[in-house]
């Protein structure tokens, strides 16, 4: 018997209680925030009802007069959490309701190259009122996210970033599953959007927002079952900010890193040892809530020496008396362990732009400024002919990419379509956890290892979008 388990979202950031799935497909599609999830049996793509998404301009009130000119997939609400299921096909029709071109990228998902959403590299930009169909079957469970890859800076800074959850086929034992999409907005006192790009910022650490939000809310509080086990999925979707996360002092552990179950423990973040997590990265945390009704725990980020709250959770109801020990490890994703002995080493250098100039064509929002480079070549912009890959890899082989940061800034370096393991650093011991985005410290060199098992041209760039758009971008070819 085929049973569709659709899941939807609410305007308060797209989270939902497990207990009240809407079962009416029409309602849920009208709410336009739902994802195609099939349970029970394998569906073929043609049997899946497409999820209809439409990017649009909207307005939303943060803590001041409503901000206009935001970009979302819903009216007056953040982009929804989309829930897919591992190994089940998803069909997503994205209609561009904006005047600018767009595309959608599914960050961290290992999918066919043509579905990757990178303008000119994998598809043509989607024009106003056009629809592009993204169809793929996610092979890995975990926490991912989505964002445009054309007019990236503007559309993301103005709100178009959402969490994509790929559920494990079987229940993994939590009482609550809560996703927090962390991003800043840059607003003036009247709620107007301030410029998201400044040459000064782009040439340094980036232009920071001034309004910290989780699911577009300022320090929201979520009610969760007292004494329950909560899976907290945190995604940093900001264009610039590197968070230094501090978690509440209670029993919990980090269960997944950048989508994948951890191989090696990641220390619990405290005020003394906050967790660095950069744009593009995700962390899944298992938390055991306090027993007492009304008890509140909060998470925050350190800015300088100040702890700024991001969100809190409140225990409600009679304690469920759960125990962290009841959680089995998350099932591993089917990833191909690279063969380090056979791996060829390729070095890639991230730094300034040698000559400092650059006249990009402006397509898809690339900047006329050129500050950054890979191997001393700044990305010349989208749709520039004859731009080769920064590395050409043979399909099926193992590689070590030696990523050398020659700059005093930190860069979250992201690779599309493949995942990799950090295997060495000249500055610290990195846990060997699978990832798609590695945060390079100042002057750090990190070796990452991968199996080049997904063919295509895969974008490879810094996820500080001002760096990406002023040169710190390229692509890796697997063929
Ligand atoms: Cu999250 Cu190329 O992007
Ligand atoms: Cu990506
Ligand atoms: Cu960067």
């Amino acid at each position: 018997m085929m049973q569709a388990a659709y899941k939807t979202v609410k305007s308060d950031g797209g989270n939902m209680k497990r207990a009240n799935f809407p079962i009416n497909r029409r309602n849920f599609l009208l709410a336009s925030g739902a994802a195609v999830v099939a349970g029970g049996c394998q569906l073929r793509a043609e049997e899946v009802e497409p999820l209809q998404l439409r990017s649009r301009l909207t307005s939303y009130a943060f803590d001041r007069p409503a901000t206009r000119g935001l970009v979302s997939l819903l009216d007056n609400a953040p982009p929804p959490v989309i829930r897919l299921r591992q190994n089940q096909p998803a069909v997503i029709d994205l209609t561009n309701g904006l005047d600018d071109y767009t595309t959608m990228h599914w960050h961290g998902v290992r999918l066919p190259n043509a579905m990757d959403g990178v303008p000119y590299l994998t598809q043509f930009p989607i024009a106003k009122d056009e629809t592009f169909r993204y169809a793929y079957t996610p092979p890995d469970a975990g926490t991912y996210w989505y964002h445009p890859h054309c007019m990236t800076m503007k559309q993301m800074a103005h709100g178009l970033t959402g969490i994509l959850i790929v559920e494990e086929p079987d229940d993994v034992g939590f009482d609550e599953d809560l996703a927090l999409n962390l991003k800043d907005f840059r607003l003036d006192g009247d709620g107007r959007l301030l410029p998201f790009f400044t040459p000064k910022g782009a040439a340094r650490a980036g232009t920071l927002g001034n309004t910290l939000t989780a699911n577009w809310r300022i320090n929201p509080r979520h009610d969760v079952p007292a004494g329950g086990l909560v899976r907290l999925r945190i995604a940093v979707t900001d264009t610039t900010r590197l968070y230094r996360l501090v978690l509440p002092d209670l029993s919990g552990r980090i269960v997944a890193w950048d989508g994948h179950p951890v191989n090696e423990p990641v220390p619990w973040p405290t005020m003394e040892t906050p967790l660095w997590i950069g744009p593009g990265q995700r962390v899944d945390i298992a938390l055991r809530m306090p027993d007492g009704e009304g008890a509140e725990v909060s998470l925050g980020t350190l800015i300088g020496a100040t702890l700024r709250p991001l969100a809190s959770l409140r225990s409600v109801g009679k304690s469920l008396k759960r125990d962290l020990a009841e959680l089995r490890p998350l099932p591993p994703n089917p990833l191909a362990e690279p063969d380090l002995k056979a791996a060829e080493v390729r070095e890639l250098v991230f730094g300034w732009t040698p000559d400092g100039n650059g006249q990009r064509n402006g397509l898809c929002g690339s900047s006329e400024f050129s500050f950054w480079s890979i191997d001393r070549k700044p990305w010349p912009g989208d749709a520039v002919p004859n731009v080769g890959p920064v590395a050409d890899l043979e399909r099926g082989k193992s590689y070590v990419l030696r990523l050398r940061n020659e700059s005093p800034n930190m860069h979250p370096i992201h690779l599309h379509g493949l995942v990799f393991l950090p295997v060495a650093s000249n500055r610290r011991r990195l846990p060997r956890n699978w990832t798609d985005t590695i945060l390079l410290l100042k002057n750090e060199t990190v070796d990452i290892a991968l199996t080049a098992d997904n063919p295509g041209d895969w974008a490879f760039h810094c996820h500080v979008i001002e760096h990406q758009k002023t040169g710190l971008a390229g692509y890796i070819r697997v063929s």
Side-chain angles (χ1 to χ4, degrees):
M1 196 193 60
M2 198 170 293
Q3 201 189 21
Y6 290 98
K7 299 188 178 179
T8 190
V9 298
K10 292 186 306 197
S11 56
D12 77 339
N15 286 293
M16 43 148 293
K17 295 268 185 283
R18 294 214 144 234
N20 47 11
F21 277 13
I23 43 168
N24 180 318
R25 173 185 292 208
R26 179 179 304 271
N27 281 349
F28 126 74
L29 282 173
L30 286 175
S32 100
V36 184
V37 178
C41 66
Q42 194 80 27
L43 290 185
R44 292 194 305 274
E46 54 282 14
E47 296 174 308
V48 174
E49 187 159 333
L51 170 64
Q52 306 289 342
L53 300 177
R54 187 169 175 278
S55 50
R56 66 196 69 197
L57 285 178
T58 193
S59 63
Y60 183 84
F62 295 95
D63 58 348
R64 56 199 100 184
T67 300
R68 296 167 185 286
L70 294 168
V71 186
S72 185
L73 300 171
L74 298 172
D75 289 325
N76 314 114
V81 174
I82 297 178
R83 284 179 176 265
L84 307 177
R85 186 159 286 181
Q86 188 176 18
N87 298 326
Q88 297 285 358
V91 180
I92 302 174
D93 285 342
L94 176 75
T95 302
N96 182 7
L98 305 167
D99 288 335
D100 285 330
Y101 284 94
T102 197
T103 62
M104 198 62 88
H105 169 59
W106 316 93
H107 182 122
V109 180
R110 297 187 300 138
L111 37 62
N113 196 233
M115 297 291 113
D116 198 40
V118 180
Y120 304 104
L121 202 59
T122 73
Q123 69 168 96
F124 284 107
I126 310 167
K128 184 175 168 60
D129 296 327
E130 269 180 14
T131 300
F132 186 92
R133 172 162 290 183
Y134 294 97
Y136 57 87
T137 302
D140 306 316
T143 306
Y144 303 92
W145 65 294
Y146 60 91
H147 61 80
H149 226 282
C150 175
M151 305 308 291
T152 318
M153 187 67 222
K154 182 176 175 189
Q155 293 175 14
M156 285 175 67
H158 291 177
L160 190 44
T161 70
I163 292 180
L164 177 74
I165 292 173
V166 181
E167 298 191 326
E168 295 80 10
D170 300 313
D171 184 34
V172 288
F174 291 93
D175 303 302
E176 181 82 36
D177 188 316
L178 195 66
L180 293 181
N181 175 353
L182 302 184
K183 86 175 256 35
D184 289 354
F185 289 87
R186 231 170 105 77
L187 307 172
D188 73 10
D190 296 320
R192 280 185 300 253
L193 288 162
L194 291 168
F196 45 78
F197 178 99
T198 61
K200 191 165 165 246
R204 296 182 178 81
T207 304
L208 289 166
N210 55 16
T211 307
L212 275 76
T213 70
N215 304 336
W216 286 24
R217 291 163 68 201
I218 297 168
N219 193 17
R221 186 176 69 197
H222 290 275
D223 287 347
V224 296
L229 296 175
V230 178
R231 181 176 188 166
L232 188 62
R233 304 173 187 260
I234 295 174
V236 173
T237 77
D238 193 53
T239 51
T240 312
R241 186 178 296 282
L242 302 165
Y243 288 75
R244 289 157 70 210
L245 269 194
V246 176
L247 292 173
D249 181 20
L250 44 73
S251 73
R253 62 171 175 262
I254 290 174
V255 291
W257 182 260
D258 288 336
H260 303 282
V262 292
N263 301 322
E264 275 189 41
V266 178
W268 191 252
T270 63
M271 284 285 280
E272 292 68 45
T273 56
L275 182 69
W276 281 99
I277 171 167
Q281 298 196 283
R282 294 86 63 208
V283 61
D284 287 34
I285 296 155
L287 278 181
R288 201 283 193 181
M289 287 299 292
D291 293 305
E293 167 104 58
E296 235 177 279
V297 299
S298 72
L299 70 146
T301 187
L302 275 175
I303 298 182
T306 315
L307 185 64
R308 297 276 302 272
L310 293 167
S312 67
L313 307 181
R314 181 172 65 174
S315 286
V316 295
K318 196 165 159 293
S319 174
L320 297 179
K321 295 259 158 55
R322 296 290 306 272
D323 188 331
L324 266 188
E326 292 162 31
L327 290 175
R328 277 166 293 123
L330 293 170
N333 287 322
L335 304 170
E337 190 76 33
D339 178 353
L340 286 179
K341 280 198 218 79
E344 254 176 65
V345 180
R346 300 288 172 86
E347 190 173 71
L348 295 156
V349 180
F350 306 102
W352 298 95
T353 295
D355 53 12
N357 61 24
Q359 264 307 324
R360 291 193 179 72
N361 51 23
L363 285 173
C364 277
S366 59
S367 155
E368 78 263 32
F369 294 100
S370 199
F371 299 123
W372 300 97
S373 61
I374 300 180
D375 285 344
R376 306 204 164 75
K377 285 189 281 291
W379 176 246
D382 298 316
V384 174
N386 307 318
V387 179
V390 294
D392 210 327
L393 310 182
E394 204 178 307
R395 187 176 178 183
K397 279 200 177 171
S398 294
Y399 292 88
V400 167
L401 305 182
R402 181 155 295 157
L403 312 180
R404 192 143 65 80
N405 180 11
E406 281 191 340
S407 78
N409 297 97
M410 291 167 75
H411 302 285
I413 300 293
H414 171 51
L415 175 60
H416 289 212
L418 301 162
V419 292
F420 52 83
L421 287 170
V423 291
S425 156
N426 64 340
R427 293 205 41 196
R428 54 182 164 156
R429 212 202 140 268
L430 283 165
R432 259 170 99 129
N433 291 320
W434 292 102
T435 174
D436 50 68
T437 308
I438 181 108
L439 188 57
L440 291 188
L441 308 179
K442 133 185 196 182
N443 298 321
E444 187 181 34
T445 300
V446 172
D447 283 359
I448 61 169
L450 57 80
T451 308
D453 56 0
N454 197 4
D457 286 345
W458 299 110
F460 179 63
H461 59 87
C462 179
H463 227 291
V464 170
I465 308 297
E466 283 168 298
H467 293 176
Q468 175 191 0
K469 290 297 185 182
T470 56
L472 219 169
Y475 68 94
I476 287 181
R477 173 167 291 162
V478 176
S479 54

